[in-house]
């Protein structure tokens, strides 16, 4: 389902020339996508509380396939790209938080971190596939072919999802009459701290995802690669970064099952923030150093995502989990929508016009501020309940 997510980022250096975009305009398309995704997540997550996660997941998956095809065949300018990429985002939101809800129903707390980790890891695999496919297809047939091939993922994904969920019941959790959203979520201190942490985490992560392929392409260009070759190589390197995210998601969720959510969140957020503050200043330095720091950056920036999601399922009751995820998604992806355009604006202010800027440090610093705030939120969490839950679940 996520193989369309990184196609725009992978082809961004080419699109800036083809569509005549400044860095600010280019960032606004990523902003449109993230804003659309935030709205989509809020709507579909709230709907899932009322009609069931399975039903919403499959409906959103079908809409995603149609929107991906529309983007692939009709996005040929700044305005059409902005409108259709936002449409892709509006259709996709029902396949993320509803999947977390389905996993929360299926797995007990002592195994849930690992399970949600694999769910997030599958998204990273889709992002990596998107970048690799875009790099190969773009080299053969330009960005239109990259768009079309990437759109095949959501089409195949909806068929696989429909087959996989045929026997899964559609569960609607009843609510107690005295249970209200304000009490269950807004007045729930640990839940709100997790939501705040996710918001800052999203600012850093989504800004990094939107601009890292362009940064790596600029690093290749500075080292002497031609423009098209630089874009192709950057797509492959960025795909490798997403594979690091896959490893992080699949391992950090499970690690938090044993060590506890808080300690893992603090370590990952602090390390990711340090990478954000340093990464942009590496332009012009040996490519091996850029790749090494980028791999660590990718690992730590995504590694806390399954831990944050799992912790929220343990803090909010099942009957209000969709609403809590809706609020989290609105704030998180809303922040993620603003981050790329702020990044692009700083890039415009610190560079001369052109597809390959050479000054990236201050733009990445804007992302690092979010990482520092996420680490602060994690530090303030209460001692973990994970070991107690594991002990309770273990046979006497």
């Amino acid at each position: 389902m996520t193989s369309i997510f990184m196609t725009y980022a992978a082809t961004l250096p080419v699109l800036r020339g083809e569509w005549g975009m400044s860095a600010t305009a280019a960032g606004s398309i990523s902003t449109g996508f993230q804003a659309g995704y935030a709205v989509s997540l809020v709507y579909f997550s709230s709907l899932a509380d009322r009609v069931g996660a399975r039903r919403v997941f499959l409906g959103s998956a079908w809409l995603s396939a149609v929107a991906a095809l529309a983007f692939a065949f009709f996005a040929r300018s700044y305005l059409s790209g902005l409108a259709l990429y936002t449409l892709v985002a509006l259709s996709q939101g029902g396949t993320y938080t509803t999947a977390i809800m389905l996993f929360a129903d299926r797995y007990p707390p002592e195994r849930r971190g690992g399970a949600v980790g694999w769910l997030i890891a599958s998204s990273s695999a889709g992002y990596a596939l998107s970048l690799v496919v875009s790099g190969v297809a773009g080299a053969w047939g330009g960005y239109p072919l990259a768009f079309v091939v990437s759109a095949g993922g959501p089409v195949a994904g909806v068929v696989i999802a429909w087959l996989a969920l045929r026997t899964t019941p559609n569960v609607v959790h009843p609510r107690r009459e005295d249970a209200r959203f304000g009490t269950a979520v807004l007045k729930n201190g640990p839940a709100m701290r997790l939501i705040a942490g996710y918001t800052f985490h999203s600012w850093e992560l989504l800004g990094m995802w939107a601009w890292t392929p362009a940064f790596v392409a600029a690093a290749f260009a500075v080292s002497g690669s031609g423009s098209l070759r630089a874009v192709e190589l950057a797509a492959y390197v960025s795909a490798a970064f997403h594979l690091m995210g896959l490893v992080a998601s699949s391992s950090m969720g499970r690690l938090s099952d044993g060590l506890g959510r808080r300690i893992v969140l603090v370590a990952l957020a602090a390390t990711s923030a340090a990478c954000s503050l340093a990464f942009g200043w590496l332009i012009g330095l040996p490519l091996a150093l850029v790749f090494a720091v980028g791999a660590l950056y990718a690992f730590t920036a995504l590694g806390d995502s399954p831990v944050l999601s799992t912790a929220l399922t343990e803090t909010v009751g099942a009957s209000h989990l969709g609403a809590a995820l809706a609020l989290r998604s609105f704030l998180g992806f809303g922040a993620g929508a603003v981050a790329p355009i702020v990044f692009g604006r700083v890039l415009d202010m610190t560079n001369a016009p052109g597809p390959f800027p050479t000054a990236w440090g201050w733009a990445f610093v804007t992302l690092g501020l979010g990482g520092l705030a996420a680490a602060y939120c994690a530090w303030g969490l209460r001692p973990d309940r994970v070991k107690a839950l594991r002990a309770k679940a273990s046979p006497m």
Side-chain angles (χ1 to χ4, degrees):
M1 298 304 301
T2 57
S3 69
I4 194 75
F5 271 51
M6 298 305 298
T7 300
Y8 173 74
T11 56
L12 180 53
V14 172
L15 293 176
R16 286 189 63 186
E18 294 278 347
W19 293 357
M21 298 186 294
S22 67
T24 303
S28 71
I29 293 183
S30 292
T31 291
F33 181 89
Q34 300 301 343
Y37 199 49
V39 171
S40 177
L41 287 165
V42 169
Y43 173 74
F44 285 122
S45 299
S46 299
L47 183 65
D49 277 341
R50 299 192 298 272
V51 304
R54 178 187 179 275
R55 184 176 299 170
V56 173
F57 180 91
L58 290 175
S60 176
W62 283 108
L63 290 174
S64 299
V66 174
L69 292 172
F71 174 75
F73 287 107
F74 299 111
R76 295 297 181 268
S77 66
Y78 168 71
L79 289 178
S80 62
L82 175 63
L84 291 172
Y85 205 44
T86 301
L87 181 63
V88 170
L90 286 169
S91 66
Q92 279 269 1
T95 63
Y96 176 48
T97 53
T98 54
I100 294 174
M101 295 169 72
L102 289 168
F103 273 53
D105 285 339
R106 177 167 296 193
Y107 294 96
E110 66 274 8
R111 296 174 52 207
R112 195 175 297 164
V116 174
W118 279 108
L119 171 65
I120 306 298
S122 69
S123 297
S124 295
Y127 302 147
L129 177 64
S130 178
L131 288 159
V132 171
V133 164
S134 297
V136 174
W140 288 349
Y143 79 85
L145 182 60
F147 285 3
V148 170
V149 176
S150 296
V155 175
V158 68
V159 175
I160 295 171
W162 180 76
L163 292 172
L165 293 176
R166 281 183 303 170
T167 60
T168 299
N170 184 63
V171 178
V172 180
H173 293 281
R175 295 184 176 183
R176 301 194 323 267
E177 291 187 3
D178 60 339
R180 296 290 185 270
F181 175 74
T183 302
V185 181
L186 296 181
K187 294 183 179 180
N188 184 332
M192 291 306 297
R193 181 170 283 273
L194 287 166
I195 289 171
Y198 184 84
T199 301
F200 294 119
H201 152 82
S202 297
W203 170 279
E204 181 182 39
L205 177 67
L206 298 179
M208 184 266 282
W209 276 353
W211 281 103
T212 290
F215 170 75
V216 176
F220 275 115
V222 168
S223 71
S225 298
S227 59
L228 289 177
R229 182 61 174 164
V231 172
E232 181 184 0
L233 292 173
Y236 301 149
V237 172
S238 299
F241 289 167
H242 280 284
L243 291 178
M244 290 300 298
L246 184 154
V247 175
S249 297
S250 59
S251 59
M252 293 299 99
R254 183 175 296 276
L255 182 65
S256 74
D257 284 340
L259 294 182
R261 315 298 183 208
R262 178 179 179 271
I263 188 172
V264 174
L265 286 174
V266 170
L268 289 171
T271 306
S272 177
C275 290
S276 286
L277 296 174
F279 195 48
W281 305 104
L282 302 181
I283 191 81
L285 295 181
L287 290 175
L289 179 61
V290 175
F291 302 157
V293 175
L296 178 64
Y297 193 8
F299 185 97
T300 54
L302 185 61
D304 51 355
S305 188
V307 187
L308 286 163
S309 297
T310 303
L312 191 62
T313 69
E314 297 165 349
T315 306
V316 178
S319 62
H320 285 85
L321 181 57
L325 288 168
L327 176 62
R328 185 190 79 155
S329 299
F330 176 75
L331 295 175
F333 284 88
V338 176
I341 198 168
V342 170
F343 189 109
R345 181 58 181 161
V346 172
L347 211 57
D348 278 338
M349 293 172 61
T350 53
N351 287 274
F356 297 110
T358 56
W360 292 78
W362 290 113
F364 273 101
V365 165
T366 65
L367 305 182
L369 298 176
L372 290 173
Y376 174 77
C377 291
W379 182 261
L381 291 172
R382 292 195 307 238
D384 296 290
R385 298 187 304 132
V386 177
K387 292 183 178 179
L389 288 170
R390 290 175 64 87
K392 184 178 179 180
S394 299
M396 298 299 291

